[in-house]
Amino acid sequence: MKILIITGQLATPLIHKNLEHYTEHEIYIKTLPIKIASFITPKMITYYLKEKNMITNIKDTKTIPLDQIDIIITPGLMQQDAQLITQSLNIPAYKGPTNAADLIHTLNIVNKITLSTTKPANILIRDEQYKEALEIIHNSNKINEKTQSLLKKESNFQIKNIPLGLDFPMRVLGEIANAVELTDDQLLKKAQYYIESGADMIDIGMHAGENNPDKAYHMIKLIKDNFSIPVSIDTLNPHEIKKALTAECDLVLSVDHGNYEDVKKDIKDHNIPAVILPTNYKHNKIPTTPDDKIKQLNKLDKLCSDITTIADPLLDPINSPSITESIITCYKYREINPLKPLFFGVGNVTELLDTDSNGANAVLSGIAMELGVCILFTPEASLKCKGSIKELKTASNMMYITKLHNSIPKDLGIDLINYKDHYKKEDIDINTNNIPEIEAVADGKFIPDTKGSFKIILKNKKINAILYQQNTKKAVITSTSARAIYEEILRRNLISRMEHAAYLGMELEKAEIALKLDKQYIQDFPIFK
């Protein structure tokens, strides 16, 4: 097909770059004298196409008359209906994607689906984007010939079976904070939860100021004996580090000016990487300015030149003393050391910020991607940060695809939009002007159901509706679906009053929402403030 793409001046270079090797269709482009594509209107398009009837091929100077074009694709953000162009030029016109980087997806399916004159094409290709995103991420995790070639570059390295560096997605390191306080069963359950959440590596958090080398050895061995995931030890205590090394930990977190002489040889002997800090906690020396942190990091890196090191410039919480200065430190360090692996302690910020963690994790991951970070580090110490590992994993994937596409982290097929809507949902509009309006009133009256009552809880990742008859538990109906539970209740004739049925439906739906959002659910109480 001969396809004409209409665009503005700012998007033209990106379109040329993305379609440089595209061959499935014959692509022509028309750049209107408008900077921003979203300002283009159907009237402008028809005017400029009629003014100059010859259209230029995107790859060479070949031109053809407009009437030989099969389809016109407009900017996805154009506000008006593309049907106006069809009516004026007698050529089918449809809306393209809102992001120029997604044009290839649109062109690849133009023969398979009917594009819309009112909806941007990316809405129609979300499924295609999602599948492609998963494929990109899957391939980035493979240890194959391409990966092996990339790992030869100075900017890349490997921890166990995980490739890291500037050419790979940022890896998520989940810290099991205060691990020494957990039983073996609790530790394994926490590790399993982190793995299911998407953690690439697990960190064993020791207690600062204590000396538990045997416990460090036992915990590292326990996780490595039960899971194939890389494990790190989080301590500055040389005794704990050495014991963790004998347990075959895969990363040391951390080495600073106070302990490097004691542990460097052992780390080298075990041939594993270590995270370096600009501090000397042994003598309570903590640099405060960006320049001093960079100076101390560079100095320690030279002292540890015979081991693989990952620099942690220390990300500070907001206003304690300054997240801005700590990001500046990372930026300056990256300028001086363009190929050095970087560590980013995201949990330092999110755990000390009273907001839902998903948006904060996304923004910090975006900053980390621009800085060339290779490891995103977080615990899940507070309820507001529950799910942070899964969020960071999703954000890391988003930022990796963004980097590959040279685009913004929008309309990628994966997202972190959990509490608000991504797209406007269309629905019919019903005119209610000429029918009576009844103001609803809740009177709070309650009449017990003779067939029993239900206590609803969330347990084992399911909704549990426990049937009580005469204060005795008779049965529990379980599912992840509110509908499945109330249909089972109706099928078994376990309810007799309409208001009880209505109440039960309301509570079951609340429980399902809480289950999906991983929020706490307590019957008769709202799940949101």
Side-chain angles (χ1 to χ4, degrees):
M1 295 177 68
K2 293 181 174 65
I3 299 175
L4 173 60
I5 296 170
I6 307 294
T7 188
Q9 293 167 334
L10 290 178
T12 297
L14 181 58
I15 292 174
H16 276 276
K17 179 180 177 181
N18 288 339
L19 299 182
E20 183 180 0
H21 303 293
Y22 186 81
T23 58
E24 186 171 341
H25 296 291
E26 198 172 318
I27 305 301
Y28 294 79
I29 189 168
K30 177 67 175 180
T31 303
L32 301 193
I34 307 292
K35 284 281 186 185
I36 302 172
S38 60
F39 293 164
I40 292 173
T41 66
K43 189 175 181 180
M44 291 178 189
I45 293 172
T46 55
Y47 171 80
Y48 285 108
L49 290 180
K50 285 180 177 178
E51 181 187 51
K52 188 173 182 180
N53 189 259
M54 300 300 289
I55 307 301
T56 305
N57 189 281
I58 195 168
K59 292 185 178 179
D60 50 43
T61 57
K62 175 187 174 183
T63 59
I64 62 170
L66 179 62
D67 59 12
Q68 290 186 19
I69 291 294
D70 297 305
I71 289 179
I72 296 173
I73 294 181
T74 76
L77 292 174
M78 185 179 74
Q79 298 299 308
Q80 297 83 359
D81 192 330
Q83 182 66 26
L84 298 172
I85 302 166
T86 303
Q87 292 169 357
S88 178
L89 300 176
N90 200 31
I91 300 172
Y94 303 101
K95 284 197 174 183
T98 56
N99 192 330
D102 295 325
L103 264 171
I104 286 182
H105 301 297
T106 305
L107 295 171
N108 285 341
I109 62 172
V110 75
N111 287 331
K112 302 173 186 176
I113 66 170
T114 301
L115 297 178
S116 171
T117 64
T118 57
K119 292 181 182 179
N122 54 284
I123 294 178
L124 305 175
I125 61 173
R126 287 177 204 157
D127 288 345
E128 188 73 19
Q129 290 174 319
Y130 181 67
K131 284 188 285 186
E132 185 198 22
L134 291 184
E135 184 67 20
I136 290 171
I137 299 304
H138 177 71
N139 289 336
S140 73
N141 293 326
K142 287 181 178 177
I143 301 294
N144 52 27
E145 189 175 330
K146 180 181 178 182
T147 306
Q148 295 288 6
S149 176
L150 290 173
L151 284 170
K152 293 176 182 177
K153 295 168 67 173
E154 186 181 345
S155 61
N156 301 322
F157 65 107
Q158 191 170 345
I159 295 179
K160 200 175 179 181
N161 59 338
I162 306 290
L164 298 94
L166 294 179
D167 292 297
F168 299 99
M170 296 176 288
R171 306 306 183 182
V172 178
L173 175 57
E175 181 196 17
I176 301 179
N178 303 315
V180 292
E181 299 175 6
L182 303 181
T183 65
D184 286 359
D185 186 55
Q186 288 172 329
L187 188 69
L188 290 173
K189 283 183 178 178
K190 191 79 169 178
Q192 180 67 46
Y193 163 68
Y194 277 14
I195 292 167
E196 290 173 355
S197 297
D200 298 293
M201 300 176 280
I202 289 177
D203 179 62
I204 299 298
M206 304 300 290
H207 274 170
E210 294 185 5
N211 188 33
N212 295 296
D214 292 335
K215 184 71 172 175
Y217 177 91
H218 174 73
M219 290 188 293
I220 297 288
K221 284 289 291 179
L222 183 66
I223 293 181
K224 291 187 73 70
D225 287 346
N226 284 275
F227 306 104
S228 60
I229 193 167
V231 183
S232 66
I233 185 71
D234 191 353
T235 181
L236 287 165
N237 184 319
H239 302 292
E240 292 175 346
I241 290 174
K242 290 178 180 182
K243 271 290 189 178
L245 288 168
T246 61
E248 299 183 340
C249 71
D250 302 289
L251 173 67
V252 170
L253 197 78
S254 302
V255 173
D256 78 348
H257 287 275
N259 72 352
Y260 82 93
E261 290 179 318
D262 295 320
V263 299
K264 185 178 71 167
K265 183 181 182 302
D266 298 88
I267 294 172
K268 180 183 177 181
D269 289 344
H270 286 82
N271 193 30
I272 66 167
V275 174
I276 57 172
L277 303 176
T279 58
N280 186 335
Y281 281 108
K282 187 176 181 179
H283 297 292
N284 291 320
K285 292 181 179 180
I286 304 172
T288 56
T289 67
D291 290 342
D292 197 14
K293 287 180 182 178
I294 293 167
K295 178 182 176 182
Q296 294 305 322
L297 274 174
N298 286 335
K299 182 179 178 181
L300 183 59
D301 197 26
K302 288 179 182 177
L303 292 169
C304 297
S305 60
D306 50 351
I307 63 174
T308 299
T309 57
I310 306 162
D312 181 5
L314 298 177
L315 184 63
D316 291 323
I318 294 172
N319 205 37
S320 180
S322 171
I323 187 175
T324 304
E325 281 204 353
S326 62
I327 292 173
I328 288 170
T329 303
C330 295
Y331 182 80
K332 285 185 172 182
Y333 184 85
R334 173 54 77 211
E335 283 189 317
I336 298 168
N337 304 279
L339 302 178
K340 188 71 183 174
L342 273 182
F343 182 97
F344 211 57
V346 176
N348 296 353
V349 178
T350 53
E351 290 287 350
L352 299 173
L353 175 65
D354 276 347
T355 187
D356 289 328
S357 61
N358 63 329
N361 279 327
V363 171
L364 290 168
S365 295
I367 293 170
M369 180 269 290
E370 292 187 0
L371 292 169
V373 165
C374 69
I375 294 178
L376 301 171
F377 176 78
T378 192
E380 289 191 11
S382 62
L383 281 176
K384 67 178 182 289
C385 289
K386 187 179 181 183
S388 275
I389 289 170
K390 185 176 182 179
E391 292 163 5
L392 281 175
K393 183 65 174 180
T394 302
S396 170
N397 290 341
M398 289 171 62
M399 299 310 159
Y400 181 65
I401 295 168
T402 288
K403 186 177 178 181
L404 288 183
H405 285 181
N406 191 28
S407 66
I408 56 175
K410 183 178 182 296
D411 298 329
L412 302 173
I414 53 175
D415 61 62
L416 267 175
I417 301 173
N418 296 331
Y419 308 110
K420 299 187 179 182
D421 290 323
H422 195 168
Y423 302 100
K424 184 178 179 181
K425 308 295 190 297
E426 294 187 356
D427 199 359
I428 57 173
D429 182 24
I430 301 175
N431 189 334
T432 60
N433 291 336
N434 298 319
I435 58 175
E437 182 177 321
I438 302 169
E439 187 72 26
V441 177
D443 60 15
K445 291 180 181 178
F446 171 72
I447 301 174
D449 193 324
T450 56
K451 291 196 172 182
S453 61
F454 288 88
K455 176 64 177 176
I456 302 169
I457 62 171
L458 299 184
K459 184 179 179 181
N460 298 327
K461 298 183 180 179
K462 286 186 175 182
I463 307 165
N464 287 240
I466 305 164
L467 172 63
Y468 283 81
Q469 292 176 339
Q470 297 180 341
N471 296 320
T472 302
K473 289 178 284 188
K474 293 294 185 180
V476 55
I477 303 171
T478 66
S479 176
T480 57
S481 161
R483 178 168 186 159
I485 292 178
Y486 76 64
E487 284 187 354
E488 192 65 39
I489 290 170
L490 294 174
R491 201 161 30 242
R492 293 175 179 270
N493 197 25
L494 300 175
I495 201 164
S496 65
R497 298 191 61 83
M498 288 180 62
E499 68 270 26
H500 189 198
Y503 162 81
L504 200 57
M506 174 185 71
E507 285 299 324
L508 288 170
E509 182 65 15
K510 280 167 50 184
E512 183 175 335
I513 292 170
L515 186 67
K516 287 179 177 177
L517 298 181
D518 202 15
K519 286 183 66 67
Q520 295 187 96
Y521 167 81
I522 302 175
Q523 192 169 347
D524 295 324
F525 287 86
I527 56 174
F528 297 104
K529 292 180 184 178

